[in-house]
Amino acid sequence: MTISYNWLSEYLPTTLEPEALSKILTSIGLEVESLEAYESIKGGLKGLVIGEVLTCEQHPNADKLKITTVNIGGETPLQIVCGAANVAAGQKVIVATVGTTIYPIGGEPLTMRIAKIRGVESQGMICAEDEIGVGTSHDGIMVLPADSVPGTDAASLFTPYNDWIYEIGLTPNRMDAMSHLGVAKDVCAYLTHHEQEAKPVSPFSNTFKVDSKKLPIKVTVENQEACPRYAGVSITGVTVKESPAWLKNRLLAIGQRPINNIVDITNYILHETGQPLHAFDADTIKGGEVVVKNLDEGSSFITLDEKERKLSAEDLMICNGSGEGMCIAGVFGGAKSGVTSATTNIFLESAWFHPISVRKTSLRHGLRTEAATRFEKGVDISGCVQVLQRAALLIKEVAGGEIASDVTDVYPSPKAKTEVAVKYHYIKKLSGKNYHPDKVKKILNALGFEVVREDIDELKVAVPYNKPDISIPADIVEEIIRIDGLDNIDIPTSITISPAIAASGVKEALKDKIAGYLVGLGFVEILTNSITNSKYFSEEVLASSVKMLNNLSVELDVLRPTMLETGLETVAYNLNRRNLHLQLFEFGKVYATDAVGQYREEERLCIYLTGQSTEAGWRGKPGVFDIYHGKGIVQAIIQLTGLKGLHFVPSANDASTLELYVGKQQVGIVTEVDKKKAAAFDIKQNVVFVDINYLTFTQLVSQQKITYKEVNKFPIMQRDLALVVNRNTTYAAIEAVVQQLKIPRLTDMRLFDVFESDKLGAGKKSMAISFTFTDEEKTLTDKEADSMVAKLIQALEKEVGAEIRK
């Protein structure tokens, strides 16, 4: 929110310095993010004086230069070398003296100094208008009227406008402060509480009167829910032209571009009071009637920016008597009914449109206007007519004409004030400060609240219309604390808390443990955007995805149904910068909708591997990440958490995917990313992806009972078997056979070699597996180990057709 110091000061009963006012604004919750000087002419023409050219002679060493002597009111004229073709003796000119800094339009600041130009000393500069920022012409030096007085400050001719501009970090609920008058009310409440009673200087007057009734315009409101109040008045005989300097200066200082006097006044009133207005060319209002209604779905309407827009049946429109749209209510005007240089009669609108209706329409058409921003936060419904009358008087003053109709005010169901009751002990509880009841009432009265009822420990107040966000007792407490000063909140010497066990303690602790382990292995944690591009997904996936209704960009229009795609974006970003070997992990969420349209989100732990797993060196060739590395990482994580019963099952739908199970519960997958999928991200190397359902995983871990067991003091015994099996036999199938035997003293099995050769037989391969046995009560004998190995051999021969390779 941009606020002008000069403008704001007009509504304050006492003069405050810019810095002092800045402190007050921040103290009452209108945080000043910046305070900067504003100059309509850069530099304010400081150091520039009016001079008279006494002599003008040809430079001896340059055909295009002249040597002049200039009287600037001092004892001795200045000698100035000038290159302007139009310089001549007797002219009154603007001179930049030595030490003066000028600010050329579109150029860098330049400080004058004594210089020699082609061997002749020059003691300043005779200026063109673009060189000092008062115009754009560079045809020659500025020649002033003959009655200009040498030695006079140049600023006296141009009266540059200077101001201080505040940038206020306004929170979304503070619509009451989205105007200069609204801010002034808060400042006056602060002054009333801390110093002495101060009431804002009202810009409104009781001088409004109707000059004639020759241009009555009927108003009909069909949709009274979307438009509870609509006021308007006609003004005839106006002259649309450039605005006066004071009006343009006010708007330019806060970053508004002046257009013409009529439009500028509506913008001025908007920033003065917070009430949006709209001016129609009255001669374009067919039938002499304004109708507020909704048009049919798909109706065409051309807005002020000359764009054709297809309307929704929910868009509220301001129409003429023929039912043709003239304006999108509260959002944007139409191309055919706007004020132009040929306009002589206008109809001025001041209305209250429903915030939800305006916001939906504004976002639907991508029209984020100043008016829409205010309507969607809620404006003061009680001020429609008062503001309308002020604007009409200003138009009459600036553009001429006469008020040619009564004020029409369609307000069938006047809104009652919201009433809120707050207890004094509740104020103390929330604020931490014991406010005296008289101080509470004084603050609230200064803000415009009315006391409805007062009991021993309770105060009931009516909320002013300009504060639609206030509806509960906590809002009242916030207002009291603000005006008392947010920097006056008492800081207690001690804080008492009640220890509690967080419900998510196990989940977060496990997350830290896993993250620490992965980082120790050389992984890097990433954080990707939950909003992604729908083009990454198939129609089947998108059918159950969560789509953004008002996405900020075309590329970000859906909440991610999986974390693979956002992770691949990060992988591609790194690969494009020659960071080719990646070990990444992320804790995040995926989103979906169920069959009845309910939203759900799931937490995931995802791992991404690509590039070399080991660097090339004298000890061996580099390794490349594959699905087995992903499988090994998962096994290590499971072992870290103490879970039992981990096994992998090949996916029935994808040969390159392993499904991860703990017991009978599937908790994730390990896969090599499909080449086409990777190519969509311009990734040409293999990527391994691990996706773990973190909530399911956490639940399994929390159910796992961890007990301490003494380290076995008896030695282990290992036996290796080389099994010749069919080439399509998996290690998982062998592992399942061994687990079904439930040999209690078999503590571990590990595949350590796979060998394929025609010498083994057609379609055969050899799998070398190491088995580890131990007994917690005694040392195993060779006979006992051989017995268990024989049992293994018998089962493997029977179940998978294994042969023992000698």
Side-chain angles (χ1 to χ4, degrees):
M1 179 68 188
T2 305
I3 294 292
S4 157
Y5 168 76
N6 290 345
W7 197 347
L8 178 61
S9 296
E10 285 190 0
Y11 311 118
L12 299 178
T14 183
T15 301
L16 298 170
E17 292 300 316
E19 292 79 6
L21 185 55
S22 177
K23 291 180 180 178
I24 291 175
L25 292 174
T26 298
S27 179
I28 59 179
L30 303 176
E31 182 182 0
V32 175
E33 296 179 342
S34 68
L35 172 60
E36 297 181 358
Y38 170 81
E39 297 171 322
S40 60
I41 301 175
K42 187 71 173 175
L45 303 180
K46 293 177 182 177
L48 297 174
V49 296
I50 297 173
E52 180 181 8
V53 180
L54 301 177
T55 64
C56 180
E57 300 176 355
Q58 183 65 45
H59 194 294
N61 302 319
D63 293 339
K64 295 184 178 181
L65 297 178
K66 303 286 177 61
I67 301 173
T68 66
T69 55
V70 184
N71 171 28
I72 61 168
E75 295 181 0
T76 306
L78 301 179
Q79 177 176 282
I80 299 176
V81 177
C82 180
N86 65 329
V87 65
Q91 292 175 335
K92 301 294 177 62
V93 295
I94 293 180
V95 178
T97 57
V98 173
T100 298
T101 300
I102 61 173
Y103 298 86
I105 292 177
E108 295 296 323
L110 178 65
T111 301
M112 296 297 106
R113 56 187 176 84
I114 296 176
K116 280 194 174 183
I117 302 177
R118 293 291 184 94
V120 177
E121 185 177 274
S122 182
Q123 300 169 324
M125 177 178 175
I126 303 175
C127 303
E129 63 179 46
D130 68 326
E131 291 172 334
I132 57 175
V134 298
T136 58
S137 174
H138 194 68
D139 293 337
I141 60 170
M142 288 187 68
V143 180
L144 305 178
D147 59 354
S148 302
V149 181
T152 306
D153 289 340
S156 63
L157 291 178
F158 301 97
T159 57
Y161 179 76
N162 300 319
D163 201 350
W164 289 92
I165 302 300
Y166 300 93
E167 282 297 333
I168 295 176
L170 202 63
T171 52
N173 65 312
R174 292 302 311 280
M175 63 73 46
D176 59 306
M178 292 185 73
S179 66
H180 286 76
L181 187 57
V183 173
K185 289 178 180 179
D186 265 10
V187 173
C188 287
Y190 178 91
L191 295 174
T192 298
H193 175 62
H194 290 276
E195 297 178 12
Q196 59 183 4
E197 185 175 359
K199 293 184 177 180
V201 178
S202 175
F204 306 109
S205 67
N206 56 2
T207 60
F208 179 86
K209 67 181 182 66
V210 177
D211 298 312
S212 71
K213 298 184 180 180
K214 61 184 179 184
L215 189 57
I217 292 181
K218 181 182 177 182
V219 175
T220 302
V221 180
E222 294 185 5
N223 187 343
Q224 294 182 359
E225 181 180 354
C227 180
R229 189 174 193 181
Y230 189 98
V233 69
S234 300
I235 306 172
T236 60
V238 301
T239 301
V240 179
K241 58 183 179 180
E242 185 179 352
S243 294
W246 70 266
L247 180 53
K248 291 194 294 183
N249 285 333
R250 285 290 162 83
L251 295 176
L252 286 168
I254 61 171
Q256 293 288 310
R257 180 176 62 88
I259 299 173
N260 60 53
N261 51 2
I262 305 299
V263 175
D264 291 350
I265 285 174
T266 61
N267 286 332
Y268 178 85
I269 293 296
L270 171 72
H271 289 278
E272 178 186 58
T273 67
Q275 172 68 50
L277 303 175
H278 189 74
F280 297 92
D281 186 327
D283 296 333
T284 66
I285 303 177
K286 296 180 181 179
E289 182 180 11
V290 169
V291 183
V292 185
K293 66 177 184 177
N294 299 80
L295 296 179
D296 295 335
E297 181 75 29
S299 297
S300 178
F301 179 66
I302 300 175
T303 47
L304 274 172
D305 55 4
E306 300 294 339
K307 292 182 179 180
E308 182 179 0
R309 303 179 189 275
K310 296 298 181 181
L311 301 176
S312 164
E314 295 182 354
D315 294 333
L316 186 67
M317 298 293 295
I318 311 298
C319 303
N320 59 30
S322 300
E324 298 170 344
M326 298 190 298
C327 175
I328 302 177
V331 179
F332 208 44
K336 297 180 180 179
S337 62
V339 173
T340 67
S341 58
T343 299
T344 56
N345 304 316
I346 65 171
F347 176 74
L348 192 61
E349 163 196 288
S350 176
W352 194 95
F353 301 114
H354 199 286
I356 294 177
S357 173
V358 171
R359 180 167 177 81
K360 284 184 176 180
T361 296
S362 172
L363 292 174
R364 185 180 296 119
H365 296 289
L367 295 169
R368 305 296 297 147
T369 60
E370 294 263 17
T373 301
R374 283 162 174 80
F375 276 127
E376 69 186 25
K377 297 181 187 306
V379 300
D380 183 354
I381 196 171
S382 69
C384 289
V385 171
Q386 190 178 34
V387 172
L388 179 70
Q389 291 175 341
R390 167 150 173 78
L393 290 174
L394 270 178
I395 289 175
K396 186 177 176 181
E397 174 189 332
V398 171
E402 61 179 24
I403 297 171
S405 74
D406 289 323
V407 171
T408 301
D409 184 18
V410 181
Y411 193 19
S413 303
K415 186 179 185 299
K417 285 187 174 181
T418 302
E419 294 185 355
V420 180
V422 60
K423 296 184 181 295
Y424 288 110
H425 74 267
Y426 180 75
I427 296 174
K428 180 180 179 181
K429 179 182 178 181
L430 254 63
S431 68
K433 193 170 183 177
N434 191 13
Y435 289 98
H436 191 279
D438 290 342
K439 284 191 175 183
V440 171
K441 288 184 289 184
K442 185 178 181 181
I443 290 174
L444 294 178
N445 284 331
L447 288 170
F449 291 83
E450 298 175 11
V451 176
V452 176
R453 188 186 73 247
E454 183 179 10
D455 298 327
I456 296 176
D457 188 41
E458 186 178 64
L459 184 69
K460 190 174 186 179
V461 295
V463 180
Y465 290 107
N466 69 325
K467 294 182 178 291
D469 63 300
I470 294 179
S471 59
I472 59 176
D475 297 332
I476 301 294
V477 179
E478 180 186 0
E479 294 295 287
I480 295 168
I481 294 174
R482 277 198 318 105
I483 301 305
D484 185 45
L486 295 174
D487 48 0
N488 290 330
I489 296 175
D490 292 335
I491 305 296
T493 56
S494 62
I495 299 176
T496 303
I497 63 172
S498 299
I501 299 175
S504 62
V506 173
K507 183 173 68 174
E508 295 303 320
L510 185 60
K511 185 179 292 185
D512 288 342
K513 187 175 184 179
I514 294 172
Y517 175 73
L518 291 175
V519 169
L521 290 179
F523 280 77
V524 175
E525 185 171 9
I526 61 173
L527 179 64
T528 60
N529 196 347
S530 295
I531 308 174
T532 188
N533 197 330
S534 59
K535 74 175 184 180
Y536 296 150
F537 308 99
S538 65
E539 292 296 328
E540 182 181 357
V541 173
L542 289 175
S544 60
S545 66
V546 180
K547 301 175 181 64
M548 304 294 292
L549 295 178
N550 299 309
N551 46 301
L552 296 177
S553 69
V554 176
E555 292 78 16
L556 301 175
D557 60 345
V558 64
L559 288 176
R560 61 187 178 195
T562 74
M563 289 174 60
L564 172 60
E565 289 72 18
T566 53
L568 289 178
E569 287 180 331
T570 301
V571 170
Y573 183 89
N574 279 272
L575 295 180
N576 289 338
R577 287 153 181 80
R578 303 302 297 168
N579 188 14
L580 304 178
H581 315 301
L582 304 171
Q583 299 180 82
L584 309 175
F585 74 96
E586 178 179 13
F587 290 95
K589 293 181 179 180
V590 296
Y591 307 86
T593 56
D594 57 24
V596 294
Q598 295 295 312
Y599 298 121
R600 71 174 190 273
E601 62 181 30
E602 296 178 356
E603 290 190 69
R604 298 297 176 97
L605 164 59
C606 292
I607 294 172
Y608 313 87
L609 302 169
T610 188
Q612 295 178 1
S613 59
T614 57
E615 294 183 2
W618 64 272
R619 298 179 63 186
K621 295 181 180 180
V624 178
F625 284 117
D626 57 22
I627 194 170
Y628 301 108
H629 287 92
K631 182 180 176 183
I633 292 296
V634 170
Q635 289 174 320
I637 292 174
I638 295 296
Q639 185 176 6
L640 183 73
T641 61
L643 277 177
K644 304 294 184 183
L646 168 67
H647 60 282
F648 295 89
V649 177
S651 172
N653 301 320
D654 187 354
S656 62
T657 299
L658 294 176
E659 296 175 353
L660 165 64
Y661 283 83
V662 175
K664 296 182 178 180
Q665 182 73 51
Q666 183 178 354
V667 295
I669 62 168
V670 181
T671 185
E672 290 186 354
V673 178
D674 182 73
K675 300 298 183 184
K676 290 184 179 179
K677 186 73 166 180
F681 294 85
D682 198 26
I683 298 174
K684 299 179 177 61
Q685 60 190 53
N686 190 48
V687 180
V688 178
F689 175 59
V690 177
D691 186 5
I692 296 175
N693 187 319
Y694 189 66
L695 179 60
T696 302
F697 181 66
T698 304
Q699 290 172 344
L700 290 171
V701 172
S702 62
Q703 296 167 5
Q704 182 84 8
K705 187 176 181 180
I706 299 176
T707 58
Y708 170 76
K709 185 170 66 173
E710 185 179 359
V711 177
N712 192 354
K713 59 184 178 182
F714 298 102
I716 63 172
M717 187 172 290
Q718 290 183 321
R719 291 287 191 272
D720 297 339
L721 291 178
L723 307 175
V724 178
V725 295
N726 291 329
R727 189 167 293 172
N728 59 358
T729 301
T730 64
Y731 175 70
I734 295 174
E735 193 175 35
V737 172
V738 174
Q739 288 175 349
Q740 288 175 1
L741 295 176
K742 296 181 180 180
I743 301 174
R745 288 180 286 188
L746 175 61
T747 58
D748 189 30
M749 61 179 294
R750 181 174 62 87
L751 176 68
F752 64 88
D753 184 52
V754 177
F755 172 70
E756 295 184 7
S757 173
D758 293 338
K759 295 179 180 180
L760 297 174
K764 297 289 185 177
K765 66 179 178 181
S766 171
M767 302 178 71
I769 303 173
S770 175
F771 296 93
T772 302
F773 304 94
T774 186
D775 193 315
E776 296 180 358
E777 297 180 353
K778 62 183 181 65
T779 300
L780 284 174
T781 64
D782 287 338
K783 184 177 181 182
E784 290 171 326
D786 292 342
S787 174
M788 290 183 284
V789 169
K791 190 175 182 180
L792 289 171
I793 293 173
Q794 183 179 3
L796 292 171
E797 288 176 340
K798 178 180 179 182
E799 299 295 335
V800 296
E803 298 178 11
I804 303 303
R805 183 182 173 200
K806 304 299 184 180

